Amino acid sequence: MTMTILTPPSLTNTVKTATWKLVSNTQTYASPLSQVTQTAEMPGARWGVTLAFENRQSAEHRAWLVFLAKMRGASGRCYLSPVFAYPFTGLGGGSPLVKGASQTGTSLNIDGCTHNVTGWIKAGDFFSFDSGTGRELKLCTADANSDNSGNVTVAFEPPTRTAPADNAAVEIAAPSAIMRLTDDSQASIQLSAPVFGTWALQMMESFPS
């Protein structure tokens, strides 16, 4: 059965605090004799987020209560975008597409962008694309310009999990990751008279199997 990926209620002007973090996947071995340490980076770095809401009106906390119920604990999935906290600061423009198949690592060639734009994307901007195994959310790590043919090479973290297809769409206006609740105890909202709700929740990026 295909899982429906939900869209949460609007986060704009509702979140009191938000913490985005990139959780790397490393393995560390320390020699019991010399204490020399070796650390290996493994695939599977993922985004995590903690959201806190305080004294929200009834319509808002009811909408979130419904959303959390539909998530059914950690079994559900939703699209979550960081743009409410990290809006796109580059100039962007055009209809960006992946330029060429089999691209992996921490850079991506894009075409279809507006020509000759200085700062088409800037360090700290997020973008996303879909691959054969799901959606990938990336953080641009260096300013990049478009050339006179509308090409841009973007440096980013974390590394690509699966190479996107040639001409796959690149989303810069509303990039998102597929997230899940970290456990089954997140659907809890504290109510105070007359109609205010306060709650916090934690999510972690989810990779399709």
Side-chain angles (χ1 to χ4, degrees):
M1 183 175 64
T2 302
M3 176 181 295
T4 299
I5 302 178
L6 303 176
T7 299
S10 175
L11 293 165
T12 304
N13 299 323
T14 61
V15 178
K16 181 177 177 61
T17 62
T19 302
W20 278 87
K21 60 182 179 181
L22 182 58
V23 182
S24 298
N25 185 25
T26 61
Q27 291 184 349
T28 301
Y29 169 78
S31 168
L33 300 177
S34 65
Q35 292 302 304
V36 171
T37 301
Q38 295 179 328
T39 303
E41 180 186 13
M42 310 297 289
R46 62 187 64 200
W47 296 102
V49 63
T50 300
L51 304 174
F53 305 79
E54 185 174 303
N55 294 330
R56 306 313 303 175
Q57 295 285 345
S58 176
E60 293 174 326
H61 64 70
R62 284 174 178 266
W64 275 93
L65 183 63
V66 170
F67 166 75
L68 292 170
K70 288 182 175 180
M71 285 289 284
R72 299 181 180 178
S75 70
R77 301 293 184 268
C78 70
Y79 293 115
L80 194 67
S81 174
V83 295
F84 68 93
Y86 295 101
F88 194 81
T89 60
L91 296 178
S95 299
L97 303 171
V98 173
K99 183 181 180 181
S102 303
Q103 296 190 64
T104 58
T106 56
S107 68
L108 185 69
N109 295 320
I110 299 172
D111 59 11
C113 307
T114 301
H115 298 187
N116 296 316
V117 175
T118 299
W120 186 87
I121 190 170
K122 294 188 176 182
D125 287 338
F126 284 88
F127 67 97
S128 62
F129 55 81
D130 290 344
S131 68
T133 57
R135 181 162 299 178
E136 301 196 23
L137 178 68
K138 306 301 181 188
L139 175 67
C140 175
T141 56
D143 295 356
N145 309 323
S146 62
D147 65 16
N148 57 11
S149 297
N151 301 309
V152 179
T153 299
V154 183
F156 62 83
E157 292 289 346
T160 303
R161 298 193 301 271
T162 303
D166 183 32
N167 290 326
V170 177
E171 179 60 50
I172 61 173
S176 61
I178 298 174
M179 310 289 280
R180 66 171 177 84
L181 298 172
T182 56
D183 56 52
D184 295 336
S185 302
Q186 300 293 316
S188 176
I189 296 178
Q190 178 183 348
L191 302 178
S192 58
V195 291
F196 297 111
T198 296
W199 68 100
L201 56 90
Q202 294 181 328
M203 293 185 181
M204 186 69 71
E205 188 176 11
S206 177
F207 307 147
S209 59

